[in-house]
């Protein structure tokens, strides 16, 4: 009963760089806490030598993530991974913008431990949980905009065409995708709701505000064109994401909705069983009547 089996697409991705190819099969351990749900993970196909300076570099950058996430919701790191200056590992972590520091640091610790397992020995790796994102690699990705679609999930469509729901969704997407107009510091994380539609959007903070806007516009466009009138949807690009859900009992993301569809399935099976039993009873009593009639006929 793994969440991954029910997901419409496998939550692993290929690095956009052509030298990197993903070789790992599906991993998605059902998570204990909803906010730390696994969204996707991916590793480079290139491996480093065990015991090499590169391995020390990876361990050092992952340790920095965990330590620094106790103090900040985002940071980037550059560590040496060999003797030449070309051997360098870059990395960053980022928490969802609405979390307190302790939730953030717990998420990053969890993500790092999952990444260590998922990408053991890999030169690069990235992992997204509901509440945080971690990534390291030896190619320069810090500060580089990347609008590659990493994972998209569309929930089931609304029952019938609901123009009000669609209007609420568009309003929410418009709100979370708008550049800030209030003159304050640029916000890399936004959330908003309209009626029972709730949306969130976030960019990795190594982007400039302009790049963030561009990335979000792409994600929202992809979301609308791919997911139509879906009741919930997730669109994760390499450097930003947008998610929305309709209905008060859903947090962001598909897992709750999967639970809902589980309940629906169970209900359908129950109703099917009851209908079946009823049919058998009706049939038996009909048979009984036929037999009685047959006996009386003799
Ligand atoms: C990353 O590290 C691997 C293994 O050491 C190496 O083969 C590759 O060329 C490196 N890539 C970059 C961009 O430095
Ligand atoms: C990386 O972090 C430093 C501070 O630790 C910051 O000054 C710099 O702007 C960051 N770079 C990117 C690309 O986010």
């Amino acid at each position: 009963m793994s969440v991954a089996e029910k997901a419409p697409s496998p939550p692993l991705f290929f690095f956009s760089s052509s030298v990197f190819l993903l070789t790992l099969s599906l991993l998605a351990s059902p998570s204990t806490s909803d906010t730390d749900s696994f969204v996707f993970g991916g590793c480079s196909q290139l491996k480093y030598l065990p015991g090499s300076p590169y391995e020390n570099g990876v361990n050092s950058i992952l340790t920095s993530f965990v330590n620094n996430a106790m103090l900040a919701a985002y940071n980037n790191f550059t560590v040496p991974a060999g003797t030449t200056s070309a051997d360098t590992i870059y990395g960053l972590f980022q928490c969802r913008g609405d979390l307190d520091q302790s939730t953030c640091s717990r998420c990053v610790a969890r993500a790092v431990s999952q990444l260590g397992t998922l990408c053991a020995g890999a030169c690069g790796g990235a992992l997204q949980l509901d509440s945080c994102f971690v990534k390291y690699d030896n190619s320069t990705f810090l500060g580089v905009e990347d609008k590659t679609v990493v994972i998209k999930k569309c929930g089931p469509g609304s029952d019938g065409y609901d123009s009000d729901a669609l209007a609420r969704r568009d309003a929410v997407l418009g709100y979370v995708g708008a550049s800030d107009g209030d003159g304050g510091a640029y916000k890399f994380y936004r959330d908003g709701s309209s009626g029972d539609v709730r949306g969130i959007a976030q960019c990795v903070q190594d982007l400039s505000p302009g790049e963030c806007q561009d990335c979000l516009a792409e994600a929202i466009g992809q979301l609308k064109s791919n997911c139509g009138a879906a009741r919930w949807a997730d669109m994760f690009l390499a450097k930003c994401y947008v998610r929305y859900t309709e209905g008060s009992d859903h947090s962001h993301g598909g897992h709750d909705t999967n639970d809902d569809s589980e309940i629906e399935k169970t209900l359908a099976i129950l109703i099917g069983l009851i209908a079946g039993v009823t049919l058998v009873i009706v049939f038996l009593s009909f048979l009984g009547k036929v037999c009685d009639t047959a006996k009386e006929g003799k």
Side-chain angles (χ1 to χ4, degrees), residues 74-77 92 142-144 205-207:
Y74 162 82
N75 214 342
N76 69 76
F77 301 89
L92 62 79
L142 289 178
V144 178
Q205 283 175 60
D206 62 336
L207 298 187

Side-chain angles (χ1 to χ4, degrees), residues 2-298:
S2 99
V3 170
E5 278 164 19
K6 287 177 279 168
S9 49
L12 288 172
F13 70 98
F14 297 84
F15 274 179
S16 50
S17 159
S18 56
V19 280
F20 291 147
L21 267 182
L22 184 77
T23 51
L24 284 149
S25 58
L26 227 104
L27 169 139
S29 49
S31 51
T32 46
S33 144
D34 195 43
T35 52
D36 282 354
S37 299
F38 181 86
V39 179
F40 64 77
C43 318
S44 66
Q45 196 179 34
L46 280 176
K47 299 270 184 181
Y48 55 76
L49 290 173
S52 63
Y54 200 104
E55 180 169 31
N56 293 337
V58 171
N59 289 339
S60 139
I61 212 161
L62 294 181
T63 308
S64 304
F65 290 175
V66 174
N67 291 337
N68 210 256
M70 295 174 186
L71 310 165
Y74 162 82
N75 214 342
N76 69 76
F77 301 89
T78 302
V79 303
T83 43
T84 73
S85 61
D87 299 323
T88 303
I89 307 177
Y90 307 91
L92 62 79
F93 73 87
Q94 176 166 282
C95 290
R96 212 174 66 212
D98 60 338
L99 299 179
D100 58 48
Q101 206 58 53
S102 74
T103 311
C104 172
S105 73
R106 252 183 290 129
C107 183
V108 171
R110 190 184 172 88
V112 163
S113 112
Q114 289 189 7
L115 189 65
T117 313
L118 178 70
C119 298
C123 285
L127 192 122
Q128 173 85 54
L129 301 180
D130 253 358
S131 305
C132 64
F133 175 69
V134 294
K135 175 170 180 168
Y136 73 91
D137 200 4
N138 67 344
S139 66
T140 339
F141 66 93
L142 289 178
V144 178
E145 190 181 357
D146 184 352
K147 295 188 278 183
T148 314
V149 175
V150 175
I151 189 164
K152 61 169 184 240
K153 293 184 191 167
C154 308
S158 307
D159 309 327
Y161 181 77
D162 185 346
S163 59
D164 287 348
L166 213 53
R168 283 195 300 275
R169 183 202 69 176
D170 286 349
V172 167
L173 291 181
Y175 177 78
V176 298
S179 57
D180 308 304
D182 56 11
Y186 184 79
K187 295 190 189 76
F188 288 92
Y189 170 85
R190 309 83 181 273
D191 56 23
S193 54
S194 170
D196 60 351
V197 180
R198 185 178 140 75
I200 62 173
Q202 187 168 25
C203 292
V204 182
Q205 283 175 60
D206 62 336
L207 298 187
S208 68
E211 290 166 335
C212 176
Q213 281 311 118
D214 186 47
C215 190
L216 292 180
E218 173 73 17
I220 289 170
Q222 290 272 0
L223 204 83
K224 286 182 175 172
S225 62
N226 281 284
C227 296
R231 293 216 314 268
W232 60 263
D234 296 340
M235 184 61 63
F236 284 85
L237 310 186
K239 282 289 174 82
C240 70
Y241 67 81
V242 177
R243 323 176 78 175
Y244 73 84
T245 61
E246 189 190 314
S248 49
D249 54 343
H250 301 155
S251 62
H252 351 288
H255 301 309
D256 295 336
T257 311
N258 280 336
D259 292 346
D260 281 355
S261 67
E262 276 309 293
I263 293 167
E264 273 162 31
K265 262 185 228 159
T266 313
L267 263 181
I269 291 169
L270 265 179
I271 290 169
L273 268 178
I274 291 168
V277 168
T278 313
L279 264 181
V280 167
I281 291 170
V282 168
F283 184 59
L284 283 180
S285 68
F286 173 69
L287 261 190
K289 282 211 187 87
V290 171
C291 289
D292 287 346
T293 323
K295 271 184 217 146
E296 278 160 22
K298 275 191 180 165

